[in-house]
Amino acid sequence: NMTSGEGNETPVFEDLAILFLFKDTWRVRGRGKLRVNLANDKKMARVVMRTDQTNKLILNAPIKSSMIFTKHGDTGVMFRTVNFVQDADADLNVKAEDLEDTKNETKTPNFELSTVAVRFADKDRADMFIAKANQARCAVLEALGGDSEERWEDSDAEKRILEKKEDAKAEITTEKEESKQQKEDDQKEDDNDDDDAANDEKKEEDDQPKEGEANEGEEAAAKEEEPEAGPERVS
């Protein structure tokens, strides 16, 4: 958006990653969402990364025509770049012309070249980042009048990632449907239990004699128990 300084750019890649900076040894700079942004006029591209919790900018690296993205392990990607985030007050308000790569000449303010690496959740995401970053690099070179003989087609990794996302959505949908069906079955079972209880209660009421019938039965039983009178004695 405009407030973040990315209003005139389109993200061609976006995923969660961990950022490492090499200074004598690899050091973690942060975890968050990494994007490859391509300017709308295609004259500039950069890798931007912000932390999850605070949205703090931790990587703002212009993609130059000479940049090389290489795998670093199965899930990591390493590249040399100028990171415009080197102090707490750094932001994205760097002029576009300072980031443009004209005739393969690097125009940058006095920032040092850094070796950085980003690590993704799996190999496919790392491969997709390399493909998208190189696509953006070639697009910038061509927009600035260069002739890029490279052709970076969408990699199979992107297809596999999309398939995994679709499978995950289908799995979630299936779980929701199964949960809904289970609730319906449980409700039916509860309703049946309530009906059975009501029927049992009604049957018990039907088996109980009514008040008038009970009195008549008691009187009849009492009569049956009375002894018969014997003949009177004649003197």
Side-chain angles (χ1 to χ4, degrees), residues 94-110:
V94 179
K95 294 181 180 180
E97 56 266 26
D98 289 334
L99 300 178
E100 291 179 5
D101 188 358
T102 307
K103 297 181 180 179
N104 298 331
E105 295 179 359
T106 301
K107 291 177 60 180
T108 60
N110 293 324

Side-chain angles (χ1 to χ4, degrees), residues 18-30:
I18 302 175
L19 175 65
F20 297 86
L21 176 65
F22 188 82
K23 283 188 176 181
D24 300 326
T25 185
W26 286 108
R27 301 177 184 179
V28 176
R29 282 296 307 274

Side-chain angles (χ1 to χ4, degrees), residues 73-87:
D74 288 337
T75 62
V77 180
M78 182 175 65
F79 51 96
R80 295 271 290 167
T81 186
V82 176
N83 184 7
F84 284 84
V85 183
Q86 295 189 1
D87 57 71

Side-chain angles (χ1 to χ4, degrees), residues 55-208:
N55 204 38
K56 178 183 177 182
L57 184 68
I58 56 177
L59 179 64
N60 177 22
I63 298 177
K64 302 297 183 179
S65 61
S66 57
M67 282 180 66
I68 299 175
F69 299 88
T70 58
K71 289 295 289 290
H72 187 64
D74 288 337
T75 62
V77 180
M78 182 175 65
F79 51 96
R80 295 271 290 167
T81 186
V82 176
N83 184 7
F84 284 84
V85 183
Q86 295 189 1
D87 57 71
D89 298 325
D91 57 26
L92 278 174
N93 296 320
V94 179
K95 294 181 180 180
E97 56 266 26
D98 289 334
L99 300 178
E100 291 179 5
D101 188 358
T102 307
K103 297 181 180 179
N104 298 331
E105 295 179 359
T106 301
K107 291 177 60 180
T108 60
N110 293 324
F111 287 87
E112 63 182 30
L113 197 64
S114 304
T115 300
V116 300
V118 287
R119 188 170 68 198
F120 298 93
D122 56 43
K123 178 181 179 297
D124 287 338
R125 285 173 168 78
D127 291 341
M128 184 176 171
F129 167 71
I130 292 176
K132 293 299 184 181
N134 278 306
Q135 286 176 7
R137 182 174 60 81
C138 294
V140 170
L141 182 59
E142 291 178 359
L144 294 174
D147 183 17
S148 175
E149 296 180 356
E150 300 177 58
R151 291 294 179 267
W152 287 86
E153 304 295 336
D154 289 339
S155 65
D156 292 337
E158 183 173 9
K159 181 180 179 182
R160 289 194 295 270
I161 290 172
L162 293 175
E163 288 175 350
K164 287 180 181 178
K165 289 181 178 179
E166 291 300 322
D167 290 343
K169 287 181 182 178
E171 186 175 349
I172 292 173
T173 301
T174 301
E175 289 178 354
K176 287 183 178 179
E177 291 176 350
E178 290 178 350
S179 177
K180 181 180 179 181
Q181 185 62 46
Q182 184 63 45
K183 288 181 180 179
E184 292 177 354
D185 293 342
D186 292 343
Q187 185 61 48
K188 286 181 182 179
E189 187 174 347
D190 291 342
D191 292 342
N192 291 335
D193 291 342
D194 292 341
D195 291 341
D196 292 341
N199 292 334
D200 292 342
E201 186 177 346
K202 187 174 184 302
K203 184 177 181 182
E204 289 179 1
E205 291 176 355
D206 293 340
D207 291 342
Q208 294 291 332

